[in-house]
């Protein structure tokens, strides 16, 4: 390890945030955490709340595990990680039930299922166990944001074309497609609200990303 | 101390679990009042919805106060009023008791047009878990004014459709008595209820949930029979 003090946002540290947004995106490249991405993206609001929740868990799980990394007995390290993640998820669930009851009902089991989200355990094993707290926090932010970004993009298109609205936290439902469009014969695409379309939208995002970045294409 | 030894591992696991448990217990305890309040408000929204009053988490309390307020009470099997707060009755617990010992809450609601509606809570079993709802009756205590249903975990797209308007709307205008006999409301196979004043369409593919709704109405309304006949 270098003896010089590294600046908080050195190029190397910033990369921890930017690579999971693009070339190492947990959803589109590593294809982790897909099932919640399909389930909560019919409307924008739950997708945003879910993204924030997952980001909270990735950041703090990474931080806690990184702080404890030299004390954790390696034989029970997976259990330790699970306990930390489960505790954080319960915190998120309880807070949502107290302050965002409606959304917590919509997310229902999917908040609890953050525990099983592969992104989180994957980052703990691959990064937090071997790195200092600050880079681990950045890695958590990056991966949480990489996940959330895809969720929000998918939810944006699904709600816009499926319901003609966009629902934002704190603001409520905004009608985007004007009434006269409906009078002219425009119809919402009900298929967009069904889970298979989430898969299709994720697929389109993966396609666009790979056609722009040729390095990602497997030979 | 040997970091890979058994003693260390056991100590580590024990301490960690106790610390985490303490944090979670504290959090759960301090958030409980807010969560209970949320559940109450959600209940008010449901009750109001059964008489077609739309409300949100913000105005539900005021609207509940305005339309129902203090005019909610508990009756027993014989239809006599008994002491207690109707809103606090936990139907899940009541249903475990004998029919004769149960408390039957009634919410009397005064609408803007001056008419009075009786809102009766119902609760039963769906396919995967509990289902519940509120049925509102006109002043004649026979004609249904509106209904709303909720569920814990019915299959989305099938059984879960009971919480959609398409299922709930047809309840309005149906009647639960025939010649002074309680017949409740039958939930038939989809498309077979036409012209039947005591039946609504069930959900194709949600047969067990539909039957659950029918059984729930039959069971719960039978407890109110004496009250409704007076």
């Amino acid at each position: 390890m270098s003896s010089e003090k590294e600046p908080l946002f050195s190029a190397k540290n910033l990369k921890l945030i930017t690579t999971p947004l693009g070339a190492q995106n947990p959803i589109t490249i590593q294809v982790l955490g897909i099932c919640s991405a399909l389930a909560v993206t019919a409307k924008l609001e739950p997708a945003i709340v879910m993204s924030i929740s997952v980001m909270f868990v990735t950041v703090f799980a990474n931080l806690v595990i990184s702080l404890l990394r030299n004390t954790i007995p390696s034989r029970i390290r997976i259990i330790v990680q699970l306990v930390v993640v489960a505790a954080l998820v319960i915190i998120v669930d309880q807070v949502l039930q107290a302050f965002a009851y409606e959304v917590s009902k919509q997310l229902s089991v999917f908040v609890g299922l953050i525990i099983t989200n592969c992104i989180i355990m994957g980052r703990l094993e691959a990064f937090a166990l071997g790195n200092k707290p600050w880079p681990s926090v950045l890695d958590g932010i990056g991966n949480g944001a990489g996940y959330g970004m895809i969720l929000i993009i998918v939810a944006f298109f699904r709600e816009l074309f499926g319901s003609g609205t966009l629902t934002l936290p704190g603001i409520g439902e905004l009608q985007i497609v004007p009434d006269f469009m409906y009078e002219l014969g425009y119809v919402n695409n009900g298929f967009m609200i069904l889970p298979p379309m989430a898969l299709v939208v994720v697929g389109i995002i993966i396609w666009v990303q790979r056609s722009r970045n040729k390095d990602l294409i497997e030979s | 101390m040997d970091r890979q030894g058994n003693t260390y591992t056991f100590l580590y696991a024990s301490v960690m679990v106790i610390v985490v448990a303490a944090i979670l217990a504290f959090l759960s305890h301090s958030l409980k009042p807010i969560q209970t309040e949320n559940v109450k408000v959600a209940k008010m929204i449901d009750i109001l919805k059964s008489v077609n009053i739309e409300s949100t988490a913000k105005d539900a309390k005021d609207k509940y106060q305005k339309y129902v307020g203090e005019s909610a009470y508990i009756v027993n099997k014989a239809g006599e009023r008994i002491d207690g707060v109707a809103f606090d009755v936990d139907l899940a617990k009541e249903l475990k008791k004998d029919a004769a010992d149960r408390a039957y809450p009634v919410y009397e609601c005064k609408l803007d047009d001056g008419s009075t509606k009786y809102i009766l809570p119902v609760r039963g079993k769906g396919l995967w878990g509990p289902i519940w709802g509120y049925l509102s009756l006109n002043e004649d205590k026979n004609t249904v004014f509106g209904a709303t249903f909720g569920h814990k975990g019915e299959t989305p797209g099938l059984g879960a459709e009971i919480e959609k308007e398409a299922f709930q709307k047809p309840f309005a205008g149906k009647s639960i008595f025939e010649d002074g006999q309680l017949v409740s409301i039958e939930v038939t196979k989809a498309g077979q209820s036409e012209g039947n004043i005591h039946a609504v369409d069930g959900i194709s593919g949600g047969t067990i949930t539909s039957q659950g709704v029918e059984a729930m109405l039959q069971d719960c309304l039978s407890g109110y029979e004496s009250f409704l006949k007076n």
Side-chain angles (χ1 to χ4, degrees), chain A residues 157-188:
Chain A
F157 286 113
R158 283 183 74 192
E159 190 178 354
L160 182 60
F161 293 116
S163 316
T165 56
L166 290 176
T167 320
L168 294 169
I171 300 172
E173 196 171 274
L174 306 171
Q175 191 173 349
I176 303 298
V177 179
D179 282 330
F180 72 85
M181 292 273 287
Y182 290 108
E183 277 153 30
L184 289 174
Y186 175 84
V187 178
N188 286 327

Side-chain angles (χ1 to χ4, degrees), chain B residues 90-96 123:
Chain B
D90 183 352
L91 228 51
K93 280 187 196 147
E94 294 301 321
L95 288 176
K96 292 201 181 87
R123 189 180 171 92

Side-chain angles (χ1 to χ4, degrees), chain A residues 68-145:
Chain A
L68 297 176
R69 71 188 186 284
N70 292 325
T71 69
I72 299 175
S74 62
R75 276 189 295 174
I76 58 162
R77 64 171 203 288
I78 298 284
I79 300 175
V80 174
Q81 292 167 15
L82 258 183
V83 170
V84 171
V85 174
L88 287 166
V89 169
I90 295 173
I91 293 177
V92 169
D93 192 30
Q94 294 286 322
V95 169
L96 284 182
Q97 278 182 31
F99 299 107
Y101 188 67
E102 275 301 304
V103 183
S104 98
K105 274 205 297 193
Q106 283 173 29
L107 292 174
S108 64
V109 296
F110 292 100
V111 176
L113 286 177
I114 297 177
I115 297 174
T116 61
N117 194 317
C118 318
I119 300 169
I120 295 164
M121 290 287 277
R123 292 325 292 168
L124 294 179
E125 274 288 292
F127 198 89
L129 272 177
N131 286 282
K132 287 186 172 175
W134 176 244
S136 298
V137 167
L138 294 180
D139 184 74
I141 296 176
N143 280 284

